[in-house]
Amino acid sequence: MSANDYDYDVVVPTAGRDSLGALLAGLAALDGAPPGRVVIADDRRGDGRPVAAAVPPALLRRTVILRGGGRGPAAARNAGWRATNAPWVAFLDDDVLVPPGWGRALAADLEGLAPDVAGSQGRVRVPLPAGRRPTDWERNVAGLEAARWITADMALRRSALASVEGFDERFPRPYREDADLGLRLARRRRRIVPGTRTVVHPVARADAWVSVRKQGGNRDDALMRRLHGPGWREAAGAPRGRLGRHAAT
């Protein structure tokens, strides 16, 4: 079976970041196995620079833009995959870059997967600056390289998403909603397996308060414990943070 025999759609939740244009340009330049449809879920509360301005001419006929109203990436992804009709849905974050061979590599990753495989996880490479130690924020982003389930690049069977009713929209941040989905699929004996394709995740600029804002994710950790029990970290391959040591300090 050739790469082009695979039918997949791409879903991109976005907050309107400038990086969206670079991702869409990469999708337009794929050298094989292009997506059938690109669904952009605009998750901004208010109006801003029109997302349509970032869509390259080569993608215009295959692109659908949805407005999500700022309900978070879980809700945006749900709106996105429900607007697809392909058997596979490839989720990409709006701040990653895809190389020209990404489509063919995705097709190769999906070839011959067993029926109990719900999804294929892409590899994420985070380039860090040379010649100095990375900042806390840069180390935080670099942690994506070792994350077990990460929607920066994850292809899922549409049927598997439907079987668990998609992402849990009680997770309002881009944090833990992917691990929650992975655990719910595992409970149904559905696997997410590693693929060979790679995307690049540059480290975006951030202000001095970004690490403080990230502490809001502790609320999502509490929700994970309530939903999946005290052993959720081990089951999801999520390392423990430093909250206890910070509190003691």
Side-chain angles (χ1 to χ4, degrees):
M1 183 175 286
S2 70
N4 287 321
D5 289 329
Y6 286 100
D7 190 10
Y8 72 96
D9 292 335
V10 166
V11 170
V12 182
T14 184
R17 291 183 286 196
D18 292 339
S19 55
L20 175 65
L23 167 62
L24 296 177
L27 290 173
L30 292 178
D31 60 10
R37 178 180 294 179
V38 177
V39 180
I40 303 172
D42 185 351
D43 193 43
R44 295 174 296 177
R45 284 188 174 87
D47 293 329
R49 180 171 178 264
V51 167
V55 181
L59 284 183
L60 283 175
R61 292 185 178 180
R62 288 183 282 153
T63 299
V64 176
I65 299 174
L66 307 174
R67 292 302 300 266
R71 294 188 296 128
R77 290 191 186 97
N78 281 342
W81 75 260
R82 287 167 182 153
T84 66
N85 53 24
W88 287 94
V89 181
F91 293 98
L92 291 170
D93 283 355
D94 69 352
D95 52 358
V96 302
L97 302 172
V98 295
W102 180 85
R104 291 188 183 277
L106 171 61
D109 287 342
L110 302 182
E111 184 174 6
L113 291 180
D116 70 321
V117 174
S120 170
Q121 174 70 67
R123 298 176 179 177
V124 179
R125 184 173 68 83
V126 180
L128 293 176
R132 64 167 174 82
R133 294 180 62 184
T135 64
D136 285 348
W137 169 239
E138 289 166 344
R139 286 196 298 270
N140 178 280
V141 177
L144 297 175
E145 293 186 336
R148 182 175 180 184
W149 296 311
I150 181 68
T151 44
D153 180 355
M154 182 186 290
L156 292 164
R157 292 188 196 268
R158 198 174 187 281
S159 59
L161 284 163
S163 73
V164 294
E165 299 183 350
F167 293 87
D168 190 330
E169 297 181 14
R170 288 174 291 182
F171 291 91
R173 285 166 287 272
Y175 189 70
R176 302 305 189 204
E177 82 286 359
D178 43 13
D180 168 75
L181 179 72
L183 288 175
R184 287 188 287 121
L185 287 169
R187 198 173 297 140
R188 290 174 172 263
R189 300 182 183 276
R190 304 297 299 273
R191 296 180 291 143
I192 298 175
V193 299
T196 61
R197 66 192 184 281
T198 301
V199 296
V200 176
H201 192 306
V203 179
R205 291 184 178 181
D207 59 42
W209 294 100
V210 64
S211 295
V212 176
R213 290 195 300 273
K214 284 293 180 180
Q215 296 308 309
N218 291 318
R219 286 176 288 180
D220 296 331
D221 286 349
L223 178 57
M224 288 291 288
R225 182 183 176 91
R226 181 162 66 87
L227 294 175
H228 302 290
W232 73 266
R233 287 186 179 277
E234 290 73 20
R240 294 188 177 275
R242 299 179 180 179
L243 179 62
R245 278 178 285 176
H246 289 170
T249 300

